[in-house]
Amino acid sequence: CIPMMDGPKVYGVMQFAGSQDHFSFMPEDEGFALTIARMTVNTIKNIQMVSVIEEQNRTLEEKILQRTAELRQKTNDVNSMLQNMRQGIFTIMRGGLIHPEYSNYLTEIFETKDVANTDVFPFLFHRSDVGGDLLNQLEATVDSMIGEDAMNFEFNAHLLVHEYTKYFDDDKTKILELDWNPVLNANGNIEKLMVTARDVTELKALQRETEKQKAELDIIGQILSISKDKLLEFIQTSNAFLDENEKLIQTTSNLDQQVLATLFRNMHTIKGNARTYGFSYITDAVHLAESTYSELLNTSEARWEPEVLAVQLNDARECIKRYEAVFKGKLEGFTTSATPTMDFSVLENIAQAVDGINELSAVSALKKSLALVRDTINVANSESLPDVLRGIVDGVPSIAKQLQKEAPQVVIHDNSVRIKREVAPMMRNVFMHIFRNSLDHGLEASSERIASNKHEKGTIQLDAIRGEDEITFIFGDDGRGLALNTIRNKAIANGKISDNQSLTDDEVAELIFIPGLSTATEITQVSGRGVGMDAVRKFLNKYEGDVKIIFTDDANSAGYRPFKMHITLPSKFAV
């Protein structure tokens, strides 16, 4: 119904059929009425849209209020954590400044409240063990990260300091750990660096104490694996070698090859014995000194520095003292002695033999009684060959494993020969070198042995034979033999012989006793420094003994010649 000047005029009647989009119309002016109908429908739709928008606005307002409350709660939670957590957390802004928001504990760690907008590098590393060069590198690294792609952090994170010591007043020190993490913006660039600082001083002290206790337990286990006599003998002989080295270092003013050879031989023997007995906390310090001697022997530019050598020698001595201290402090009353003890029946036999001796005794009875006394004393004053070699033989599987070889069978025929105790330590040093030499150079790997129609496990054999004037130990293995061509070439390369010098096989074999000559292709923990056979001969010579190579067959096509090693000592050292 359209209002007019002369009253409303009816153009039609719309009848709604339950839906605002469907209606019937009875027109008087059909075109105009249709337009009105369309306008009405659009108006209804607009009213509906406004209603929907108003509802969405109300919902959005509720969501904004809810989200704001959640963000406020999260902010409060973060602030609470920053104020109460036992870690120092802060972020580094562009220019290396610390952001004003940081955890409260940071001030306790660094003992200052001057944190916000402070230059991070003096804050962290002033009065610390971080040197100037490292600090300059760190500044450049951080500067190259902030504002750049996150990849820069991945590439340079290894240059950041993660643990250092900081010094405070009253001689107080703290060990601090730092964790670094990038804070990225929407473009994936590093906006800031977040750093977490922790005071781990007490933790590190606890770790050191734990490691100390673990090391002590390890040492106790290593000591208990051998007899008391073997331990005390090792300590005594090692100290004797160290004393000799100390005297040589103190009395030598310039580099001397013979002095160096002795220093090296002594230290190499200590290391070999330590490895034989499994004294792992000794080998590292001894190895360092041994390596220094080796460098002095083989490098023409090396300088003789007695002060450095003395420090290294003292470190080795302290390691041995550590074992001695653990033994005396915790184990001396519990470890057993390998020294044979005479039981009461033997003592009774000796007593009866002595009681039976008088002026009326027959010569044969006197001889029998004296023989009994002599034999008993000899047994108490000597060791069987298996006892002398027990620690060495027990260590064979471990050395073979290091060399990636099968442990060989060890066969010992002592023929009732016993070694006097006065030379037993020296003989252990001798056979330590010989067994290791056999395992490294003589016996082949299983694959090579099988290809040569040998058993995959090798055999080492030692026979003792006592003559009138000397005792002979014949040592051999079923390995490849002596590498004559390699020995000769090594001697030429080392300047020991000339290229055109003609030598017999026996003369070539003698070259293995030259100090510093080794046929090993590389230096290993087992051998390769050319000291083993040199040491063997030097040790034996001190007791009027010697060692020789005796060939048992001709050389093969590869230049290897089978042999046995004859070790001799005066018969007075055996019973």
Side-chain angles (χ1 to χ4, degrees):
C1 180
I2 305 299
M4 305 295 288
M5 292 293 292
D6 54 351
K9 181 174 180 62
V10 177
Y11 287 93
V13 177
M14 289 184 292
Q15 295 179 336
F16 290 89
S19 172
Q20 60 196 23
D21 294 327
H22 298 87
F23 55 87
S24 59
F25 185 68
M26 297 179 293
E28 287 190 7
D29 184 341
E30 185 175 352
F32 183 74
L34 185 59
T35 300
I36 294 300
R38 287 174 179 159
M39 291 174 60
T40 303
V41 170
N42 289 336
T43 300
I44 294 170
K45 287 184 176 179
N46 288 337
I47 292 172
Q48 181 186 19
M49 187 178 296
V50 169
S51 177
V52 171
I53 292 174
E54 289 177 349
E55 178 64 26
Q56 288 179 343
N57 285 339
R58 284 194 298 272
T59 304
L60 182 59
E61 288 177 0
E62 291 175 0
K63 288 183 177 180
I64 291 174
L65 290 174
Q66 181 181 356
R67 183 61 175 162
T68 302
E70 291 175 354
L71 289 174
R72 186 181 297 110
Q73 183 61 45
K74 287 185 178 180
T75 301
N76 291 337
D77 291 343
V78 170
N79 287 332
S80 178
M81 285 191 295
L82 287 175
Q83 300 312 313
N84 295 289
M85 68 191 319
R86 303 293 289 176
Q87 293 185 9
I89 298 180
F90 64 95
T91 54
I92 304 173
M93 304 180 293
R94 186 183 291 275
L97 299 178
I98 298 177
H99 192 277
E101 294 182 358
Y102 54 87
S103 67
N104 187 55
Y105 192 60
L106 192 67
T107 61
E108 185 173 334
I109 293 177
F110 290 89
E111 301 185 6
T112 178
K113 296 186 180 297
D114 187 12
V115 178
N117 297 311
T118 300
D119 189 333
V120 66
F121 300 107
F123 176 79
L124 289 176
F125 302 115
H126 177 61
R127 297 179 66 188
S128 74
D129 62 351
V130 176
D133 290 340
L134 182 56
L135 186 57
N136 291 337
Q137 173 184 284
L138 184 60
E139 290 179 0
T141 300
V142 171
D143 185 60
S144 70
M145 291 179 177
I146 299 178
E148 301 298 327
D149 189 271
M151 191 178 296
N152 277 29
F153 182 84
E154 300 298 330
F155 286 157
N156 297 299
H158 66 282
L159 299 175
L160 301 171
V161 173
H162 293 279
E163 182 178 306
Y164 69 104
T165 300
K166 188 169 176 65
Y167 309 107
F168 296 86
D169 295 335
D170 300 326
D171 296 326
K172 183 169 64 175
T173 63
K174 293 182 181 180
I175 301 174
L176 304 180
E177 278 187 354
L178 301 178
D179 284 337
W180 306 74
N181 292 283
V183 179
L184 307 181
N185 59 21
N187 297 322
N189 293 330
I190 301 174
E191 184 177 336
K192 293 180 288 187
L193 287 178
M194 184 175 72
V195 182
T196 303
R198 290 184 293 273
D199 182 356
V200 294
T201 308
E202 293 183 2
L203 177 61
K204 291 295 181 180
L206 183 60
Q207 287 179 344
R208 287 194 297 270
E209 183 62 28
T210 301
E211 290 170 359
K212 179 181 177 181
Q213 292 179 1
K214 179 183 178 298
E216 189 170 280
L217 288 174
D218 288 342
I219 291 173
I220 288 173
Q222 292 166 12
I223 292 174
L224 289 175
S225 67
I226 67 171
S227 69
K228 173 181 176 180
D229 291 343
K230 293 289 193 300
L231 172 68
L232 295 179
E233 178 189 299
F234 169 80
I235 292 172
Q236 181 181 3
T237 56
S238 296
N239 284 332
F241 286 134
L242 293 174
D243 289 342
E244 182 179 7
N245 280 15
E246 183 176 10
K247 184 177 180 180
L248 288 172
I249 291 171
Q250 290 175 346
T251 57
T252 303
S253 55
N254 298 306
L255 195 149
D256 185 300
Q257 291 292 316
Q258 289 187 344
V259 169
L260 282 173
T262 302
L263 294 175
F264 187 88
R265 182 171 60 248
N266 290 346
M267 200 63 75
H268 188 74
T269 303
I270 294 174
K271 188 180 81 170
N273 287 331
R275 288 194 179 281
T276 296
Y277 293 133
F279 295 160
S280 58
Y281 291 91
I282 293 176
T283 53
D284 289 342
V286 173
H287 182 76
L288 178 61
E290 181 193 51
S291 298
T292 301
Y293 302 153
S294 178
E295 184 179 355
L296 289 170
L297 279 167
N298 300 306
T299 306
S300 57
E301 297 83 10
R303 296 171 53 196
W304 176 258
E305 297 178 313
E307 298 81 6
V308 175
L309 301 182
V311 171
Q312 293 178 346
L313 190 72
N314 186 66
D315 290 342
R317 194 186 293 276
E318 288 300 316
C319 289
I320 294 171
K321 284 182 178 179
R322 186 180 185 186
Y323 276 73
E324 186 176 13
V326 170
F327 168 71
K328 290 184 176 179
K330 299 183 181 298
L331 297 174
E332 191 166 19
F334 300 95
T335 52
T336 58
S337 172
T339 305
T341 57
M342 293 178 288
D343 60 31
F344 289 111
S345 62
V346 174
L347 293 174
E348 183 63 24
N349 287 338
I350 293 177
Q352 290 179 2
V354 173
D355 289 343
I357 299 175
N358 55 56
E359 66 275 7
L360 300 178
S361 299
V363 174
S364 60
L366 285 172
K367 287 183 176 180
K368 185 176 180 180
S369 296
L370 292 174
L372 176 61
V373 173
R374 182 197 62 206
D375 290 344
T376 304
I377 293 173
N378 282 341
V379 168
N381 194 37
S382 63
E383 294 183 45
S384 69
L385 191 55
D387 281 341
V388 171
L389 302 179
R390 179 164 289 117
I392 298 170
V393 173
D394 289 346
V396 163
S398 175
I399 299 173
K401 185 176 180 181
Q402 292 179 48
L403 296 169
Q404 298 181 334
K405 297 180 179 180
E406 290 286 339
Q409 180 185 12
V410 179
V411 180
I412 298 175
H413 297 135
D414 62 4
N415 295 312
S416 300
V417 171
R418 296 177 64 87
I419 309 299
K420 289 283 187 71
R421 290 191 178 279
E422 61 184 294
V423 296
M426 181 273 294
M427 292 301 288
R428 271 187 274 274
N429 291 334
V430 165
F431 282 113
M432 179 270 295
H433 287 294
I434 291 176
F435 269 80
R436 296 171 80 88
N437 188 72
S438 175
L439 287 164
D440 198 10
H441 300 290
L443 296 173
E444 313 93 328
S446 296
S447 57
E448 185 178 343
R449 291 181 62 83
I450 293 172
S452 302
N453 295 319
K454 295 181 178 180
H455 192 279
E456 64 176 346
K457 289 187 177 182
T459 300
I460 293 175
Q461 183 167 326
L462 178 63
D463 297 312
I465 301 174
R466 190 176 189 276
E468 267 190 47
D469 299 323
E470 66 182 14
I471 178 172
T472 302
F473 302 92
I474 302 175
F475 180 95
D477 59 54
D478 64 346
R480 59 172 68 95
L482 205 60
L484 296 174
N485 294 336
T486 304
I487 294 171
R488 177 182 171 82
N489 292 336
K490 283 280 189 176
I492 293 172
N494 291 357
K496 307 298 183 182
I497 61 173
S498 62
D499 191 9
N500 59 359
Q501 190 171 346
S502 178
L503 297 177
T504 66
D505 286 357
D506 289 329
E507 290 171 331
V508 173
E510 273 293 304
L511 295 175
I512 69 172
F513 299 104
I514 295 177
L517 187 71
S518 173
T519 59
T521 56
E522 62 179 345
I523 294 176
T524 68
Q525 295 283 13
V526 176
S527 67
R529 298 184 183 274
V531 70
M533 300 313 299
D534 167 42
V536 166
R537 176 163 280 176
K538 292 290 185 182
F539 293 148
L540 289 167
N541 287 168
K542 287 183 178 181
Y543 290 86
E544 307 170 56
D546 203 357
V547 56
K548 294 180 180 179
I549 299 297
I550 306 297
F551 291 111
T552 58
D553 204 346
D554 295 331
N556 60 26
S557 57
Y560 291 99
R561 188 169 180 184
F563 72 98
K564 289 188 182 295
M565 198 175 297
H566 285 219
I567 300 103
T568 57
L569 273 179
S571 58
K572 63 183 179 181
F573 294 119
V575 296

